[in-house]
Amino acid sequence: MSEKKNGVLITAPLFGTGKETVGYFTGYACGYCQGNGWHWDPEIINERVKTPCPKCGGTGQVKGIVTVEWVPDGEVKPYFKEEHDHDIP
């Protein structure tokens, strides 16, 4: 069976912190309806009625949107931990 694989290379941005969308990955079959785009309506017993899939909206496909949030990491530099004479008269 074939398998589709995608990858994302992440490098720290020049702007420092914040959010960025790094990619859109389309063309994946919906796992909820197995790509059909519909389900049999469980409320109607005497006949078979198809209803749109609540996850993919009836398209049968989903896409992944990869967003990275950059936040500060690690310890504060020693310089900022120590008290300094910043207010020299």
Side-chain angles (χ1 to χ4, degrees):
M1 184 162 129
S2 298
E3 184 176 322
K4 183 177 179 180
K5 290 186 177 183
N6 286 311
V8 176
L9 177 62
I10 299 174
T11 56
L14 296 175
F15 58 81
T17 60
K19 288 185 180 183
E20 66 175 328
T21 300
V22 294
Y24 296 89
F25 299 91
T26 60
Y28 289 90
C30 176
Y32 195 79
C33 67
Q34 290 75 42
N36 293 321
W38 52 268
H39 284 281
W40 294 115
D41 191 334
E43 301 295 321
I44 302 174
I45 298 171
N46 57 353
E47 63 181 285
R48 306 210 25 130
V49 177
K50 294 177 182 178
T51 59
C53 174
K55 303 298 180 181
C56 68
T59 66
Q61 294 190 337
V62 294
K63 68 179 172 183
I65 301 173
V66 179
T67 303
V68 177
E69 181 175 2
W70 295 96
V71 296
D73 184 27
E75 295 289 322
V76 174
K77 301 289 183 187
Y79 175 82
F80 296 112
K81 290 183 179 180
E82 302 169 3
E83 289 188 28
H84 295 280
D85 295 327
H86 294 289
D87 300 324
I88 300 175

